[in-house]
């Protein structure tokens, strides 16, 4: 399966790609047989955001976000909002900024700084709303606090790598947000994610890898990359009762709409490749 895929959440700055990063991206994004139409880099800190900005300069069909991940709360400097503003300016200069993210709450590991995470999340959501940008939300073991903040600010955006209940998925959609599913949707016996996917309207679904993590079967346990989204799309198509081609087309359109990508300009670029 080739073409049409938008990987709406990837981390090619991860050390897992140190040996072949740009060879892989060249193969995925350029050339006559490139399998991926578009990618969006999910930034996790300042260094990660700058990687996204520089890589977006390198590839026409690669976009970026800017933001601070909750797991990095203890290392984030006090002037993080000044840094975010500067990253925003730099990304806007190249017209490749799709979102503020990856931001959110993560209470999974012991010793997390709840107060700092909540402050960072609120500050960055407020910034996104002010700049009319969507947010990419990370939420792990923090659903109640996360939903409270989203209900308070009501940003546009996506709940990425969704692992919550169908009921929570419906709440997120009622806020006008999207739901992103990774290769975990295709894990054997992952009935919870499939029920959640079933509850989400087609026009609110996104495909993502969260690579190098969450590789779907038959690649589970391997380093994930964007080409593996085809396997996730097969499961999503089965859940939604439509063709794989329809899932890829709709999720591509959804991501372009959410991240403000002009499809007419993109079509001109892609037809010239």
């Amino acid at each position: 399966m080739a073409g049409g895929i938008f990987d709406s959440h990837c981390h090619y700055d991860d050390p897992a790609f140190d040996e072949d990063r740009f060879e892989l991206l060249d193969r995925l994004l350029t050339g006559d047989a490139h399998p991926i139409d578009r990618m969006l880099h999910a930034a996790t800190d300042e260094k990660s955001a700058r990687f996204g900005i520089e890589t977006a300069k390198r590839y026409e069909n690669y976009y970026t976000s800017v933001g601070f991940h909750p797991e990095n709360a203890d290392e984030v400097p006090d002037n993080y909002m000044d840094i975010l503003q500067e990253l925003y300016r730099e990304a806007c200069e190249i017209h490749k900024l799709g979102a503020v993210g990856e931001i959110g709450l993560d209470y999974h590991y012991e010793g997390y700084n709840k107060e700092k995470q909540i402050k960072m999340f609120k500050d960055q959501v407020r910034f996104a709303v002010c700049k009319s940008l969507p947010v990419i939300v990370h939420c792990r073991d923090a659903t109640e606090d996360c939903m409270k903040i989203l209900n308070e600010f009501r940003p546009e955006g996506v709940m990425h790598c969704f692992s919550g209940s169908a009921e929570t998925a419906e709440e997120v959609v009622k806020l006008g947000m999207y739901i992103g599913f990774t290769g975990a949707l295709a894990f054997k016996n992952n009935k919870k994610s499939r029920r959640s996917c079933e509850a989400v309207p087609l026009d609110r679904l996104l495909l993502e890898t969260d690579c190098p993590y969450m590789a779907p079967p038959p690649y589970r346990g391997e380093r994930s990359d964007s080409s593996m989204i085809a396997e996730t799309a097969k499961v999503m198509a089965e859940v939604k009762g439509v063709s794989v081609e329809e899932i890829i087309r709709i999720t591509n359109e959804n991501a372009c709409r959410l991240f403000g990508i002009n499809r007419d300009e993109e079509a001109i670029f892609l037809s010239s490749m």
Side-chain angles (χ1 to χ4, degrees):
M1 184 183 307
I5 291 173
F6 193 140
D7 185 350
S8 65
H9 192 110
C10 54
H11 299 283
Y12 283 100
D13 58 328
D14 192 276
F17 297 106
D18 282 354
E19 293 186 5
D20 63 344
R21 177 173 292 110
F22 292 109
E23 293 88 343
L24 176 59
L25 287 172
D26 284 349
R27 186 165 68 250
L28 293 172
L29 288 170
T30 66
D32 293 337
H34 66 281
I36 308 300
D37 276 359
R38 303 169 179 86
M39 293 180 189
L40 188 129
H41 169 68
T44 56
D45 57 20
E46 181 180 1
K47 181 180 178 181
S48 176
R50 295 195 184 281
F51 168 88
I53 292 168
E54 291 304 312
T55 307
K57 294 177 183 177
R58 181 169 180 154
Y59 299 100
E60 193 73 26
N61 45 349
Y62 183 102
Y63 301 84
T64 193
S65 64
V66 294
F68 294 93
H69 193 288
E71 285 188 350
N72 296 327
D74 289 337
E75 290 79 40
V76 170
D78 291 339
N79 67 333
Y80 63 88
M81 290 307 297
D82 293 331
I83 296 171
L84 185 64
Q85 177 66 48
E86 176 61 20
L87 293 169
Y88 165 81
R89 184 191 64 77
E90 292 180 19
C92 284
E93 285 180 354
I94 62 170
H95 307 288
K96 302 295 285 292
L97 179 61
V100 174
E102 177 178 353
I103 64 177
L105 302 174
D106 193 318
Y107 300 166
H108 184 68
Y109 297 107
E110 291 185 7
Y112 62 87
N113 189 332
K114 180 176 180 178
E115 183 177 336
K116 179 76 174 287
Q117 285 194 24
I118 289 176
K119 184 180 187 306
M120 281 174 50
F121 189 25
K122 286 186 174 182
D123 285 345
Q124 292 181 97
V125 172
R126 189 182 292 110
F127 179 87
V129 172
C130 178
K131 301 298 185 182
S132 298
L133 283 169
V135 293
I136 300 170
V137 178
H138 171 105
C139 179
R140 182 160 60 164
D141 297 344
T143 299
E144 183 177 352
D145 285 346
C146 190
M147 292 303 297
K148 186 183 299 183
I149 292 169
L150 293 177
N151 272 283
E152 177 182 353
F153 292 97
R154 305 186 79 85
E156 295 184 61
V158 54
M159 186 78 81
H160 118 88
C161 193
F162 191 79
S163 60
S165 67
E167 291 75 20
T168 299
E170 290 172 347
E171 288 182 38
V172 173
V173 170
K174 285 179 182 177
L175 289 172
M177 296 180 68
Y178 294 73
I179 302 285
F181 287 98
T182 66
L185 179 67
F187 290 176
K188 187 177 181 181
N189 297 324
N190 190 356
K191 296 179 181 179
K192 182 179 180 181
S193 288
R194 296 188 188 207
R195 284 195 296 268
S196 297
C197 183
E198 187 175 4
V200 179
L202 281 169
D203 66 354
R204 292 288 147 174
L205 286 170
L206 297 184
L207 287 168
E208 58 178 71
T209 54
D210 200 20
C211 68
Y213 315 106
M214 302 292 182
Y219 308 105
R220 190 171 183 182
E222 299 179 20
R223 182 189 73 174
S224 176
D225 69 58
S226 301
S227 66
M228 298 177 186
I229 274 187
E231 299 302 322
T232 308
K234 291 177 184 177
V235 175
M236 186 177 285
E238 178 185 341
V239 171
K240 302 304 291 183
V242 299
S243 69
V244 177
E245 292 74 18
E246 186 75 351
I247 285 293
I248 290 174
R249 179 188 66 79
I250 289 172
T251 54
N252 193 323
E253 291 178 354
N254 292 347
C256 286
R257 182 169 60 251
L258 175 62
F259 299 126
I261 296 171
N262 188 311
R263 290 184 59 84
D264 292 335
E265 291 181 2
E266 287 293 303
I268 291 172
F269 163 71
L270 292 171
S271 66
S272 68
M273 295 184 66

